[in-house]
Amino acid sequence: MQITAPDFYKKFSCIAGACPATCCAGWQIVIDEKSLKRYARHKGPFANRLKNDINWKEQVFRQYHHRCAFLNEENLCDIYTEAGPDMLCDTCRKYPRHIEEFEGLRELSLSLSCPEAAKLLLSRQEPITFVTKEKTSSEETFDSFDYLLFTELMDTREQMFSILQDRNIPLNARLLKLLAMGHDFQLCLDKNKLYCWEGIRKKHVQTGTGEDFLEKASNWSKGSKSIPELIRDFWSVLVPEMEVLSPSWHSFLKENLSFHTQYDDQEILQLYKSFQDAMPKWQVQAEQLVLYWLYTYFCGAVYDDQIFAKVKLAIVCTLLIQDLSVGMYQQSGQPLSLKEQIRICYLFSRELEHSDPNLNKMEELLDRNPAFSFEKLLKVLC
């Protein structure tokens, strides 16, 4: 079994009660079967607490005021302190460590929904690399696993990483190239022409991100709407379709997206430029965010064939986080602190990544809704 992880993976350390947004609140924590059996067998004074504060039918911890029943006033876990670390369920023991399983490969990452993990990602200025090691373990066999497609996805993602991390090229030009690649590879997969992928990768290396490519991308983009209008369309399509995990999520959006109603589109374009000028590190942070989404989800297309939707996911999520950042910048009139950027990222990630229905719905909308068409995304980036 091969194990792959980003090079900063082992630097993570939970800050427990000092965390600005505990992972034990705002979402239901599902308990695995082994832990449930362990809780049912537990003896002693803490047994009654376990019995009363677990929803045994739903297999989740009960919540009070959107907080786990075992989260105390110091934001520490009573199961950990009263019964010991071995009593933690799989979710609590592993989070924010995230695992993507493939045949013969396990990819590890740190979820952006954790403030400390988001800090590691956003404070990182050098390009991220990945470490792969061989580990002796029993390998799970996947029914109908398309190893040929998976190999092509891995090779393509590696090329995308190389393009994304080339800082000699403006960020938007790099994102345009990723979008074009995702579009081309999806067409090939739809036509069952995997044998064309190597040629397409070579073509994209040859065409690069120079003036000819950018001119073609500009010609492909269509529509009379402005960039702010297109961004507003993203929000108007996504928000009504997504389940809300945090009661304060909609008020957070309203507060930080109010500039879309306060200014005309030309003023918003100037605000976008002002944000970029005031936040020179954003270009690198946006690169790290796009890489995070690609690394976590792109190769999952081996299970659902949604290649282009996963490239769109990486780009659109980063654009939406940028839009929230611009809104917060507009309100304060000052460059955002790292703490403020971290907050935007983990709040966004929690609404999306802590809900399988939300992730599935977003991919469906990215794939089918006209607001996220290839031509419109090109226009946003051109």
Side-chain angles (χ1 to χ4, degrees):
M1 169 72 76
Q2 288 189 327
I3 310 292
T4 297
D7 54 8
F8 60 85
Y9 182 79
K10 291 188 176 180
K11 293 182 180 180
F12 172 78
S13 178
C14 178
I15 57 176
C19 184
T22 174
C23 55
C24 304
W27 58 305
Q28 282 195 324
I29 301 172
V30 178
I31 309 169
D32 59 285
E33 292 286 350
K34 287 185 178 179
S35 296
L36 280 172
K37 291 178 182 178
R38 202 160 52 239
Y39 297 153
R41 293 194 303 264
H42 190 74
K43 305 295 183 183
F46 200 64
N48 282 337
R49 178 93 180 272
L50 288 168
K51 178 182 177 181
N52 294 329
D53 285 334
I54 290 175
N55 183 329
W56 296 89
K57 181 179 179 181
E58 299 294 330
Q59 299 185 354
V60 296
F61 294 117
R62 296 191 185 280
Q63 287 193 335
Y64 301 106
H65 305 293
H66 301 284
R67 289 167 60 90
C68 175
F70 295 96
L71 183 64
N72 63 33
E73 293 181 357
E74 286 76 38
N75 277 343
L76 298 175
C77 175
D78 283 340
I79 293 179
Y80 185 99
T81 55
E82 298 291 333
D86 290 342
M87 284 290 283
L88 293 177
C89 69
D90 277 355
T91 301
C92 296
R93 184 168 58 253
K94 293 175 181 177
Y95 181 82
R97 298 163 187 87
H98 176 81
I99 301 174
E100 290 290 325
E101 294 277 4
F102 306 102
E103 191 166 296
L105 174 65
R106 180 175 296 148
E107 292 196 330
L108 312 180
S109 60
L110 298 172
S111 176
L112 189 65
S113 61
C114 166
E116 196 65 13
K119 180 180 179 181
L120 284 172
L121 185 75
L122 292 176
S123 61
R124 167 84 173 234
Q125 285 296 296
E126 62 271 23
I128 293 169
T129 60
F130 297 89
V131 179
T132 298
K133 295 182 178 179
E134 290 284 347
K135 183 177 180 180
T136 303
S137 63
S138 58
E139 294 188 9
E140 184 177 352
T141 301
F142 294 76
D143 293 336
S144 304
F145 187 83
D146 191 336
Y147 197 78
L148 175 59
L149 173 58
F150 182 65
T151 302
E152 294 290 355
L153 288 168
M154 291 286 285
D155 290 345
T156 299
R157 189 181 65 175
E158 185 176 349
Q159 183 175 341
M160 287 180 168
F161 287 171
S162 179
I163 292 167
L164 179 61
Q165 294 181 318
D166 186 349
R167 296 178 183 174
N168 294 315
I169 302 169
L171 178 63
N172 274 22
R174 289 178 259 164
L175 299 185
L176 283 167
K177 175 58 75 170
L178 297 187
L179 196 64
M181 290 176 68
H183 174 267
D184 290 353
F185 289 122
Q186 185 69 61
L187 286 178
C188 276
L189 182 60
D190 291 345
K191 296 176 181 178
N192 198 26
K193 293 184 177 180
L194 286 182
Y195 59 86
C196 294
W197 279 35
E198 185 176 354
I200 293 175
R201 285 194 292 270
K202 288 180 179 178
K203 181 194 77 172
H204 279 290
V205 169
Q206 291 168 355
T207 57
T209 54
E211 291 183 6
D212 288 346
F213 168 76
L214 295 177
E215 184 178 351
K216 285 183 179 178
S218 180
N219 291 336
W220 291 332
S221 64
K222 295 179 182 178
S224 58
K225 288 188 175 182
S226 67
I227 291 174
E229 283 181 292
L230 294 171
I231 298 290
R232 285 196 292 273
D233 286 347
F234 293 172
W235 289 113
S236 65
V237 169
L238 290 170
V239 173
E241 294 284 350
M242 313 291 259
E243 70 168 335
V244 177
L245 274 66
S246 169
S248 62
W249 175 238
H250 278 174
S251 61
F252 177 78
L253 291 180
K254 184 177 180 180
E255 178 184 358
N256 290 292
L257 298 178
S258 61
F259 70 94
H260 276 291
T261 56
Q262 294 173 357
Y263 299 101
D264 63 36
D265 287 355
Q266 196 57 43
E267 289 172 325
I268 291 174
L269 289 175
Q270 289 298 319
L271 182 60
Y272 286 160
K273 184 179 184 304
S274 175
F275 170 80
Q276 297 282 352
D277 293 341
M279 302 285 294
K281 291 183 179 180
W282 171 250
Q283 296 290 304
V284 172
Q285 291 169 328
E287 171 196 308
Q288 311 290 40
L289 286 169
V290 174
L291 184 135
Y292 165 82
W293 302 107
L294 282 178
Y295 171 69
T296 306
Y297 296 107
F298 181 77
C299 287
V302 72
Y303 299 120
D304 62 14
D305 294 343
Q306 293 296 313
I307 297 168
F308 196 24
K310 288 174 172 56
V311 176
K312 289 180 182 180
L313 178 76
I315 294 172
V316 169
C317 284
T318 304
L319 288 172
L320 295 179
I321 288 171
Q322 175 180 282
D323 213 43
L324 290 168
S325 301
V326 169
M328 193 172 286
Y329 164 73
Q330 179 268 327
Q331 291 181 74
S332 68
Q334 299 292 327
L336 301 190
S337 66
L338 179 61
K339 182 178 179 181
E340 289 172 318
Q341 290 180 288
I342 289 169
R343 180 167 179 260
I344 291 170
C345 286
Y346 73 68
L347 289 177
F348 180 90
S349 173
R350 288 185 179 195
E351 290 299 314
L352 178 62
E353 296 187 278
H354 284 200
S355 167
D356 286 339
N358 277 353
L359 264 175
N360 293 335
K361 174 57 70 174
M362 186 164 186
E363 278 207 9
E364 178 188 331
L365 293 169
L366 290 170
D367 180 45
R368 300 179 183 179
N369 194 286
F372 304 104
S373 70
F374 181 41
E375 295 79 12
K376 289 179 179 178
L377 286 172
L378 286 172
K379 185 164 184 178
V380 170
L381 296 172
C382 281

